Amino acid sequence: MGVFQTLSNLNGNYLIPKRNTSSKRDVLKRMDDDDQEVAVGPASVHVEAGSHPM
């Protein structure tokens, strides 16, 4: 949580890896079909000390 908060305070951009699932493979296939290389979407990190939008 502290790392996410520090990056947010510094207006830093960061990537978070995601497990490879069948739904993710479907999205990657559609991106490939549409000739897209990057997908960005909003989410939140929830931990015991609080949450952080990303």
Side-chain angles (χ1 to χ4, degrees), residues 8-35:
S8 179
N9 292 346
L10 297 171
N11 293 318
N13 294 322
Y14 52 93
L15 299 174
I16 297 177
K18 187 174 177 182
R19 292 182 190 260
N20 199 0
T21 62
S22 61
S23 61
K24 182 179 170 186
R25 284 189 295 271
D26 292 344
V27 169
L28 291 172
K29 172 75 171 102
R30 284 195 311 274
M31 287 176 62
D32 190 44
D33 291 345
D34 293 341
D35 200 28

Side-chain angles (χ1 to χ4, degrees), residues 27 31 36-41:
V27 169
M31 287 176 62
Q36 294 179 338
E37 295 181 6
V38 176
V40 177

